[in-house]
C-alpha cells in the first residue's frame, strides 16, 4: 500500500493493539451487527463474479453507471494503478452519486475538482485487501482505506429491505462484485473523508459545550486539537468518550465552577496533570483508535491518565464502560451507538449516557491468545481461516521480537486433534542455544492492571523437543519454574486433581486424552504498573532438535482468583 503512485504522505495503519482477553471475542462483534438486522426482512448480499480481468475493466463495461467515476480515475492518474494486478476493495460511486456530490460541493463537473482532491477521493474509496460483506462487522471495516482512515458500516432498512450503509452516508446498491484484482461494491453516494479534528467536532456541537469548556480550562484539549505524528507516517490517534450537557446536568453539574466544586480543591491549578479535575478530563481520552468494535474486543483500555484504564463489557446489545455492581447497585456508562463511531482526522468520537470517573481498579485476569498480533489479524483471508498459514521473518511483527529464524501462524482445519484456542497457534522455529539461532523470543503483552498474578503458559507438546528447557522472564524478573515445549503426555494417566497438584492444568475444552495440549504454572509475578509488559522465553539447554514449538496462550490470573476456569475451545467459546 505504501508504494502506490498516488500515496504522497499516506499514513500507515496505526499500531494500536487489538487485544483478546475476555470471553466475548468474535461472537461479540457479530452480535452487535445482528441486533441491527433483527427487524429486517431481507439483506441484499448477492455476489457477482465477472470475467473482467480487473476493477477498471468492469467499470468501463458499464459506462451508463460508472462513467463519471472513470473520469475521476483517469484525471487523478490512478486508473492504471487500479488496472494492475492486486487485491483491492473498491467502493464505486454511481453516476447519480457523482452528480449528487458535485451539487453538494457547488461544482458542475469533475474538471472543476483539483487533481489532488481527486486522488484523495480515490484513496478514500479503495482498501488494500479484498473485503466482501460477510467480513463486514459492526463499526469499522477490518482494514483502513488507502487514505489511512477506516470506514464504518451499519445496516439500513427501507421499505422492508435491508442494505449495508457505509459511513452512515452511502448505501451499497450492489455488493460483492468479484473481479480479477478485487471486489467492487456499488454505492449511491460519494464517501467523504474526515475534515475535522476531535476538538473541532466537539466544539461545533453545542451539546458538548461544558465538556469543551473543561477541556480548554484544564489544557487537556490540546492533545486532540490537531493531527500529530509519532514519525513521518504514523499518526497519534485518540478516542474521546464525550459527555453531553444533559449528562452533566443529571449530576447537578451545569457550569465549570460546578465541575471544579465536585472534582478539585479551591484554588487548585487545574492545568496540573496531577490535579483531580485535570485527571477527570484526561480520563475521557483513550490512546489509540478505538471504534465500538475495538472497545468490546478488549476488557480494558489505556487513557491519558497514567496507569488508569477504562473497562468495557457487552451486555446484550449494549456496550458499557466501567460496568460494576457493588452492594446490588450497578454503575456504568452506556456508549450511545447512534452518536458514536464518529471518525475524525485524528481519532474517533463516542458519546456516553452517564458520568465517567476514575475508579479504583483491581487485578483482572488476562487470557491472552498470542496469535492476536495486529499484523496477523489484518490478514483477513488467513486469520482464523481453517487450513491457512503465513510465515514471519525477524522484524515483521511489531510486538514480537526474536534474534533469528521464523515465526509462523497456522489455523487448523476444523476437527484437527490439536485443541488450540480459536484453532490457531504460533510456531516458533528452531529453538536452540546455539549462536545465530532462535534462542529467545519476547512478546509485548496486552494491558494488565497492576497487581499480583500467577503466570501460565499454554502450548501443544512436541516430543521432538523433549529436554529443551525454557526460562521465562516478565519485565526482567525470572519466574521460578522452567518448562519444555517437549513436555509430552504429561497428564495422560492422571486425574484432573493430580494434574493440578503438580502445577499443571487442562486449559482446553475437549477430551482429557488430548494430553499433547499442555499448560504449566511458571510462578507468581508482581505487575507494578497498569499497562503493557514484556514476557521473554529463553532456551537453557543445547538441543539437536529442529522441530518447531507451538505456542497457544499465556494466562495472567490474579493469585486470589480461580486458576482453572474458564476453559477454552477451538471455536473461540469458553466454558466455566
Amino acid at each position: 500500500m505504501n508504494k502506490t503512485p498516488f500515496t504522497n504522505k499516506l499514513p500507515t495503519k496505526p499500531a494500536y493493539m487489538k487485544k483478546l482477553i475476555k470471553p466475548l471475542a468474535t461472537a461479540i462483534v457479530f452480535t452487535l451487527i445482528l441486533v441491527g438486522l433483527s427487524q429486517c426482512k431481507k439483506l441484499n448480499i448477492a455476489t457477482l463474479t465477472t470475467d473482467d480481468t480487473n476493477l477498471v475493466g468492469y467499470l468501463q463495461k458499464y459506462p451508463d453507471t460508472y462513467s463519471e467515476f472513470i473520469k475521476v480515475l483517469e484525471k487523478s492518474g490512478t486508473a492504471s494503478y487500479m488496472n494492475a494486478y492486486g487485491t483491492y476493495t473498491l467502493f464505486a460511486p454511481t453516476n447519480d452519486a457523482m452528480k449528487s456530490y458535485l451539487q453538494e460541493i457547488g461544482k458542475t463537473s469533475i474538471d472543476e475538482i483539483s487533481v489532488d482532491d481527486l486522488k484523495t477521493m480515490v484513496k478514500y474509496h479503495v482498501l488494500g485487501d479484498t473485503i466482501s460483506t460477510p467480513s463486514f462487522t459492526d463499526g469499522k471495516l477490518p482494514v483502513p482505506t488507502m487514505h489511512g482512515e477506516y470506514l464504518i458500516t451499519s445496516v439500513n432498512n427501507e421499505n422492508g429491505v435491508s442494505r449495508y450503509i457505509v459511513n452512515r452516508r452511502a448505501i451499497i446498491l450492489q455488493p460483492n462484485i468479484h473481479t480479477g484484482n478485487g471486489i467492487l461494491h456499488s454505492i449511491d453516494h460519494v464517501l467523504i473523508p474526515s475534515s475535522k479534528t476531535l476538538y473541532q467536532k466537539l466544539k461545533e456541537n453545542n451539546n458538548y459545550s461544558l465538556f469543551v469548556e473543561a477541556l480548554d480550562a484544564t489544557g487537556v484539549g490540546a492533545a486532540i486539537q490537531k493531527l500529530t505524528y509519532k514519525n513521518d507516517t504514523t499518526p497519534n490517534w485518540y478516542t474521546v468518550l464525550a459527555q453531553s450537557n444533559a449528562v452533566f446536568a443529571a449530576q447537578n453539574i451545569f457550569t465549570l465552577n460546578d465541575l471544579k466544586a465536585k472534582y478539585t480543591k479551591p484554588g487548585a491549578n487545574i492545568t496540573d496533570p496531577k490535579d483531580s479535575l485535570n485527571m477527570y478530563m484526561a480520563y475521557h481520552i483513550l490512546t489509540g483508535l478505538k471504534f465500538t468494535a475495538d472497545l468490546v474486543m478488549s476488557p480494558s483500555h489505556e487513557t491519558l491518565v497514567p496507569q488508569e484504564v477504562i473497562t468495557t463489557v457487552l451486555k446484550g446489545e449494549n456496550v458499557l464502560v466501567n460496568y460494576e455492581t457493588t452492594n446490588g447497585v450497578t454503575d456504568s456508562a452506556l456508549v450511545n451507538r447512534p452518536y458514536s463511531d464518529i471518525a475524525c482526522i485524528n481519532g474517533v468520537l463516542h458519546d456516553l449516557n452517564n458520568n465517567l470517573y476514575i475508579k479504583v481498579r483491581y487485578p483482572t485476569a488476562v487470557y491472552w491468545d498470542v496469535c492476536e498480533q495486529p499484523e496477523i489479524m489484518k490478514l483477513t483471508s488467513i486469520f482464523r481461516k481453517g487450513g491457512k498459514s503465513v510465515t514471519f521473518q525477524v522484524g515483521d511483527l511489531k510486538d514480537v521480537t526474536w534474534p533469528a529464524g521464523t515465526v509462523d501462524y497456522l489455523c487448523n482445519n476444523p476437527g484437527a486433534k490439536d485443541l488450540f484456542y480459536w484453532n490457531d497457534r504460533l510456531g516458533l522455529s528452531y529453538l536452540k542455544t546455539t549462536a545465530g539461532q532462535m534462542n529467545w523470543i519476547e512478546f509485548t503483552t496486552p494491558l494488565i492492571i497492576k497487581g499480583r498474578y500467577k503466570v501460565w503458559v499454554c502450548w501443544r507438546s512436541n516430543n521432538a523437543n523433549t529436554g529443551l528447557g525454557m526460562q521465562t522472564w516478565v519485565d526482567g524478573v525470572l519466574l521460578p519454574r522452567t518448562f519444555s515445549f517437549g513436555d509430552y503426555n504429561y497428564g495422560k494417566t492422571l486425574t484432573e486433581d493430580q494434574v493440578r497438584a503438580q502445577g499443571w492444568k487442562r486449559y482446553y475444552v475437549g477430551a482429557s486424552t488430548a494430553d499433547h495440549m499442555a499448560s504449566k504454572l511458571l510462578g507468581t509475578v508482581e505487575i507494578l504498573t497498569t499497562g503493557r509488559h514484556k514476557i521473554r522465553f529463553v532456551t537453557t539447554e543445547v538441543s539437536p532438535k529442529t522441530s518447531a514449538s507451538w505456542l497457544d496462550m499465556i494466562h495472567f490470573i490474579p493469585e486470589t482468583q480461580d486458576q482453572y476456569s474458564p476453559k477454552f475451545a477451538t471455536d473461540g467459546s469458553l466454558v466455566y
Side-chain angles (χ1 to χ4, degrees):
M1 185 170 73
N2 294 342
K3 296 181 180 180
T4 70
F6 56 98
T7 54
N8 297 328
K9 188 177 181 181
L10 174 64
T12 61
K13 181 179 179 181
Y16 68 92
M17 290 299 295
K18 294 181 181 176
K19 308 172 282 262
L20 161 103
I21 326 266
K22 284 271 190 180
L24 300 171
T26 296
I28 292 174
V29 181
F30 289 149
T31 297
L32 288 170
I33 195 167
L34 288 175
V35 169
L37 301 178
S38 61
Q39 304 300 320
C40 303
K41 295 181 180 179
K42 180 181 178 182
L43 183 63
N44 187 350
I45 54 172
T47 297
L48 173 64
T49 300
T50 82
D51 293 328
D52 294 302
T53 57
N54 52 56
L55 291 161
V56 175
Y58 179 84
L59 295 173
Q60 291 171 337
K61 188 175 180 179
Y62 299 98
D64 290 345
T65 305
Y66 300 111
S67 60
E68 291 300 295
F69 191 66
I70 292 173
K71 291 179 184 176
V72 172
L73 295 174
E74 291 173 345
K75 184 177 179 183
S76 64
T78 59
S80 60
Y81 176 78
M82 296 305 301
N83 201 39
Y85 173 79
T87 53
Y88 308 106
T89 298
L90 171 64
F91 291 89
T94 63
N95 287 344
D96 287 342
M98 293 300 304
K99 179 180 179 181
S100 176
Y101 174 70
L102 289 171
Q103 292 175 343
E104 188 176 349
I105 63 174
K107 306 290 185 182
T108 59
S109 76
I110 291 169
D111 291 333
E112 297 177 32
I113 304 175
S114 71
V115 171
D116 286 343
D117 286 344
L118 292 177
K119 287 180 180 179
T120 297
M121 179 190 295
V122 174
K123 288 191 290 183
Y124 198 65
H125 287 75
V126 177
L127 281 65
D129 199 355
T130 50
I131 308 295
S132 59
T133 53
S135 296
F136 287 12
T137 56
D138 182 76
K140 68 171 188 172
L141 293 181
V143 296
T145 68
M146 287 191 169
H147 184 61
E149 293 185 18
Y150 286 88
L151 302 178
I152 60 171
T153 58
S154 54
V155 175
N156 177 73
N157 181 264
E158 187 175 346
N159 298 324
V161 176
S162 293
R163 288 173 170 168
Y164 288 101
I165 186 167
V166 184
N167 282 13
R168 298 187 175 93
R169 175 177 171 87
I171 292 175
I172 296 183
L173 301 173
Q174 187 174 6
N176 307 327
I177 302 170
H178 289 252
T179 72
N181 66 340
I183 293 176
L184 183 145
H185 303 289
S186 180
I187 56 177
D188 73 341
H189 280 79
V190 172
L191 302 175
I192 300 176
S194 305
S195 61
K196 295 180 180 179
T197 66
L198 287 160
Y199 181 84
Q200 290 171 329
K201 202 70 176 178
L202 289 164
K203 184 80 171 177
E204 72 179 11
N205 190 334
N206 289 333
N207 291 324
Y208 297 125
S209 61
L210 180 53
F211 189 80
V212 172
E213 186 179 4
L215 287 174
D216 290 340
T218 58
V220 171
I224 60 171
Q225 285 188 351
K226 62 181 180 179
L227 176 63
T228 60
Y229 290 84
K230 294 182 176 69
N231 49 51
D232 287 342
T233 58
T234 305
N236 289 305
W237 299 110
Y238 297 101
T239 299
V240 174
L241 307 175
Q243 293 179 200
S244 67
N245 295 341
V247 169
F248 282 119
Q251 302 290 321
N252 292 317
I253 298 172
F254 302 95
T255 67
L256 180 60
N257 286 333
D258 293 338
L259 262 179
K260 291 179 179 179
K262 187 174 180 68
Y263 288 109
T264 193
K265 297 178 181 179
N269 178 12
I270 63 174
T271 64
D272 184 348
K274 295 181 180 179
D275 173 75
S276 53
L277 178 57
N278 190 290
M279 294 173 66
Y280 170 83
M281 294 306 301
Y283 191 65
H284 288 74
I285 304 177
L286 312 182
T287 57
L289 192 66
K290 307 289 178 70
F291 288 82
T292 303
D294 302 309
L295 291 177
V296 298
M297 281 296 286
S298 174
S300 58
H301 303 270
E302 294 174 295
T303 72
L304 289 190
V305 184
Q307 302 180 23
E308 294 293 347
V309 301
I310 65 156
T311 58
T312 54
V313 66
L314 187 73
K315 294 289 184 180
E317 68 272 22
N318 295 323
V319 180
L320 302 175
V321 178
N322 284 0
Y323 179 85
E324 195 172 86
T325 300
T326 304
N327 297 324
V329 178
T330 298
D331 183 34
S332 67
L334 172 73
V335 176
N336 286 322
R337 295 174 56 74
Y339 308 104
S340 297
D341 281 333
I342 307 300
C344 302
I345 63 174
N346 59 341
V348 60
L349 175 64
H350 300 290
D351 180 85
L352 299 182
N353 81 331
N354 202 359
N355 188 38
L356 180 67
Y357 57 94
I358 298 174
K359 290 188 174 182
V360 176
R361 294 294 175 198
Y362 300 97
T364 301
V366 174
Y367 303 110
W368 176 24
D369 177 1
V370 297
C371 293
E372 287 218 335
Q373 305 297 328
E375 296 85 355
I376 302 176
M377 295 174 70
K378 76 176 183 179
L379 301 175
T380 55
S381 62
I382 294 175
F383 182 61
R384 292 178 180 164
K385 298 294 190 297
K388 300 296 185 179
S389 64
V390 62
T391 298
F392 297 93
Q393 306 293 328
V394 174
D396 285 348
L397 301 176
K398 177 179 180 295
D399 293 312
V400 187
T401 56
W402 65 94
T406 59
V407 169
D408 70 270
Y409 168 85
L410 170 69
C411 182
N412 282 327
N413 283 310
K417 68 176 182 178
D418 299 333
L419 302 179
F420 297 113
Y421 184 45
W422 281 111
N423 224 10
D424 59 3
R425 54 80 176 149
L426 292 184
L428 319 179
S429 300
Y430 314 131
L431 282 160
K432 291 183 175 183
T433 55
T434 310
Q437 299 292 325
M438 182 192 288
N439 44 40
W440 60 267
I441 186 167
E442 182 175 88
F443 295 82
T444 301
T445 73
L447 186 142
I448 304 174
I449 298 172
K450 61 183 178 181
R452 287 180 60 82
Y453 293 82
K454 291 187 176 181
V455 182
W456 299 78
V457 62
C458 309
W459 73 97
R460 199 281 195 197
S461 299
N462 182 348
N463 61 355
N465 278 336
T466 301
L468 185 59
M470 302 293 296
Q471 290 181 335
T472 304
W473 302 74
V474 177
D475 292 339
V477 176
L478 176 64
L479 298 184
R481 300 184 73 193
T482 61
F483 73 99
S484 169
F485 280 108
D487 285 334
Y488 197 74
N489 294 340
Y490 75 95
K492 185 173 184 178
T493 62
L494 301 179
T495 66
E496 190 85 1
D497 287 342
Q498 288 172 328
V499 169
R500 295 178 180 182
Q502 295 184 22
W504 299 78
K505 65 178 176 179
R506 293 188 176 109
Y507 75 100
Y508 49 86
V509 175
S512 61
T513 53
D515 44 79
H516 49 275
M517 306 307 299
S519 181
K520 186 176 182 180
L521 175 62
L522 305 183
T524 301
V525 66
E526 180 83 23
I527 299 296
L528 299 177
T529 59
T530 296
R532 303 181 65 197
H533 299 269
K534 300 290 186 181
I535 183 167
R536 176 180 288 216
F537 301 112
V538 182
T539 57
T540 61
E541 300 176 15
V542 176
S543 172
K545 305 296 184 180
T546 58
S547 296
S549 302
W550 299 315
L551 183 61
D552 185 15
M553 300 184 76
I554 300 172
H555 298 170
F556 291 83
I557 306 176
E559 61 178 352
T560 58
Q561 185 175 320
D562 184 354
Q563 302 291 310
Y564 307 105
S565 178
K567 291 189 176 183
F568 302 83
T570 58
D571 63 357
S573 61
L574 291 92
V575 175
Y576 288 85

